[in-house]
Amino acid sequence: MKSKITVALAGNPNAGKTTIFNNLTGARQHVGNYPGVTVERKEGLCLHGNIELQIVDLPGTYSLTAYSAEEMVARNFIIDERPDVVVDIIDASNLERNLYLAVQLMELGVPLVLAFNMSDMAKARGYEFDTEKLSRFFRARIVQTVGNKGTGMKELLDAIIETATNGTSDTNHKDEKSSTGVLSSRANIRGSHHQAVPIMNYGWEIEKEIAKIETLIQENRSVAGKYNARWLAVKLLENDRELRAKVTSPKINEQVKKGIEHLEKVLGESTETAIAGARYGFISGACQEAVRSTIEIRHTISDRIDSVVMSRVLGMPIFLGLMYLVFQLTFTLGDPPMEWIDNFFGWLGGMVQ
Ligand SMILES: Nc1nc2c(ncn2[C@@H]2O[C@H](COP(=O)(O)OP(=O)(O)O)[C@@H](O)[C@H]2O)c(=O)[nH]1
Ligand SMILES: [Mg+2]
């Protein structure tokens, strides 16, 4: 293992990135700017055991598209500087929304750790996570943290070092707790685990187009080495303007154009929308399997009431009973005011005459 590990902290704004960055680096920080843009670049050092970690606080982003300077900086840092580990700081109390970035990091194929931060808030909201299962879905070790209390920092560092050492590659097949006590997620992904874990799949039509472009990318030496071929194929189909400008091969561009046209015709929506929709579908499926919430329990109580009130046998009598009650209330409670109004108009009539 390298004696120095580069770690990039990614995450949605307000997920607690800076808090965790400060916890890990203390006063050993350096603040600069990314070249050419006014996006702040914060770096710091952290010593864990005898391993030195260089930690970079990436700008907060919801996605890895080419829409904003922040997203471009975050994405290009990961692609160009190839940090040994990317830690996605997730606001676990808003899990589904935050996992959108995690899916994209997973697709990018980077060694990934997910910090489920704000786990105190998530708990207060009644969420319970099956982190082992989520870890298999997202191909990343997961650590629950409370940034502002410093909880989970040691476990996070263990997971980072474990990921830098063993990677998140499929070659790691030991289906057991690792030496650091952090569950080695990759171990369970394909090889030894009996339960197959679905990988992010965009559906037959889109997958067919991805495969065609992916093949052309792999044959093209100028882009093949730099990018994960599947990721680039997806991004091109998403019509990512920066990457479409970067890829100059006419063969690839022609295939991308054809692919987008075909997909928009058969899907009836933009490829961008369809691809984002598939990502959200994946997240929602994973959460349905691995996140429990007491809000769900509240749901089931209201479901139970519904099942009585809406039932075929009791529904009508309950409805008629309620109507009778409304009728009674209207006339018994409505009687006195009706009398007052009657008297008032009688009096008014007398005055006019
Ligand atoms: N309740 C709670 N608050 C946190 C946690 N982590 C960070 N915060 C607070 O959340 C706010 C946003 O954190 P910050 O680190 O600035 O987020 P960033 O935008 O991702 O850099 C700050 O007020 C932190 O003190 C946590 O685990 N639980
Ligand atoms: Mg910040």
Side-chain angles (χ1 to χ4, degrees):
M1 192 202 342
K2 284 200 285 187
S3 58
K4 189 169 177 176
I5 295 174
T6 318
V7 181
L9 301 186
N12 290 13
N14 286 320
K17 238 161 19 64
T18 303
T19 307
I20 289 182
F21 175 79
N22 289 340
N23 287 348
L24 297 179
T25 60
R28 291 148 301 183
Q29 295 187 2
H30 171 81
V31 183
N33 256 31
Y34 287 93
V37 282
T38 54
V39 178
E40 196 180 71
R41 173 171 181 150
K42 263 169 98 177
E43 285 183 31
L45 287 178
C46 167
L47 203 66
H48 187 55
N50 53 2
I51 298 165
E52 194 175 46
L53 300 102
Q54 170 155 38
I55 302 183
V56 181
D57 187 14
L58 294 177
T61 62
Y62 294 103
S63 180
L64 291 178
T65 51
Y67 288 132
S68 68
E70 283 77 13
E71 295 190 7
M72 294 277 280
V73 162
R75 164 167 118 182
N76 289 336
F77 181 90
I78 292 168
I79 293 169
D80 297 334
E81 305 204 20
R82 293 178 181 269
D84 297 302
V85 179
V86 176
V87 179
D88 184 3
I89 311 286
I90 281 171
D91 172 358
S93 66
N94 278 304
L95 190 64
E96 292 207 21
R97 193 186 66 194
N98 276 249
L99 283 173
Y100 192 69
L101 180 65
V103 172
Q104 294 177 73
L105 290 166
M106 173 186 80
E107 288 186 284
L108 199 49
V110 293
L112 184 64
V113 172
L114 304 181
F116 276 25
N117 195 41
M118 309 265 178
S119 55
D120 55 335
M121 305 263 283
K123 204 170 169 188
R125 288 189 194 173
Y127 292 115
E128 276 170 29
F129 307 115
D130 184 339
T131 48
E132 258 179 63
K133 218 179 226 175
L134 286 167
S135 170
R136 291 199 291 273
F137 274 116
F138 289 90
R139 286 133 203 276
R141 290 172 179 84
I142 296 176
V143 181
Q144 303 208 40
T145 59
V146 183
N148 56 350
K149 296 217 178 74
T151 313
M153 292 305 117
K154 186 193 168 296
E155 291 77 4
L156 182 60
L157 285 167
D158 285 342
I160 290 169
I161 289 162
E162 184 75 10
T163 302
T165 315
N166 297 334
T168 42
S169 81
D170 292 328
T171 51
N172 184 358
H173 284 322
K174 54 178 176 26
D175 195 354
E176 59 194 24
K177 286 230 172 188
S178 67
S179 55
T180 51
V182 178
L183 188 85
S184 171
S185 65
R186 266 289 173 154
N188 299 337
I189 290 167
R190 280 184 199 149
S192 54
H193 208 265
H194 29 270
Q195 215 176 356
V197 172
I199 59 161
M200 179 68 224
N201 187 305
Y202 288 101
W204 183 71
E205 284 286 357
I206 299 178
E207 286 293 337
K208 213 171 49 177
E209 299 305 322
I210 293 173
K212 285 185 211 162
I213 298 165
E214 202 180 338
T215 311
L216 293 179
I217 291 168
Q218 276 157 350
E219 286 166 3
N220 185 303
R221 240 182 279 158
S222 68
V223 281
K226 189 164 160 64
Y227 300 100
N228 172 317
R230 179 179 163 87
W231 178 79
L232 181 58
V234 173
K235 283 316 239 186
L236 292 173
L237 278 176
E238 268 185 286
N239 221 347
D240 184 283
R241 65 179 151 83
E242 191 218 18
L243 290 165
R244 286 208 64 185
K246 265 190 184 164
V247 174
T248 52
S249 150
K251 220 167 147 188
I252 296 176
N253 289 336
E254 186 54 35
Q255 187 57 54
V256 170
K257 191 164 163 272
K258 269 203 303 206
I260 291 177
E261 277 168 13
H262 169 71
L263 287 174
E264 299 200 332
K265 209 162 65 193
V266 296
L267 301 175
E269 59 187 347
S270 75
T271 47
E272 216 182 328
T273 310
I275 287 170
R279 288 197 188 112
Y280 278 117
F282 175 81
I283 293 167
S284 140
C287 289
Q288 245 163 42
E289 293 251 327
V291 181
R292 253 174 50 88
S293 135
T294 47
I295 293 161
E296 247 168 45
I297 294 162
R298 247 178 272 153
H299 261 305
T300 56
I301 291 170
S302 93
D303 286 348
R304 251 179 241 159
I305 294 170
D306 278 355
S307 74
V308 174
V309 178
M310 310 289 281
S311 87
R312 218 171 268 187
V313 184
L314 292 175
M316 212 24 137
I318 289 174
F319 172 72
L320 290 175
L322 283 173
M323 286 310 285
Y324 176 74
L325 209 67
V326 171
F327 183 82
Q328 282 300 318
L329 281 175
T330 311
F331 285 96
T332 44
L333 287 181
D335 252 359
M338 249 149 61
E339 221 163 281
W340 301 334
I341 291 167
D342 207 26
N343 289 343
F344 172 73
F345 278 105
W347 170 78
L348 200 67
M351 290 291 284
V352 172
Q353 270 172 9

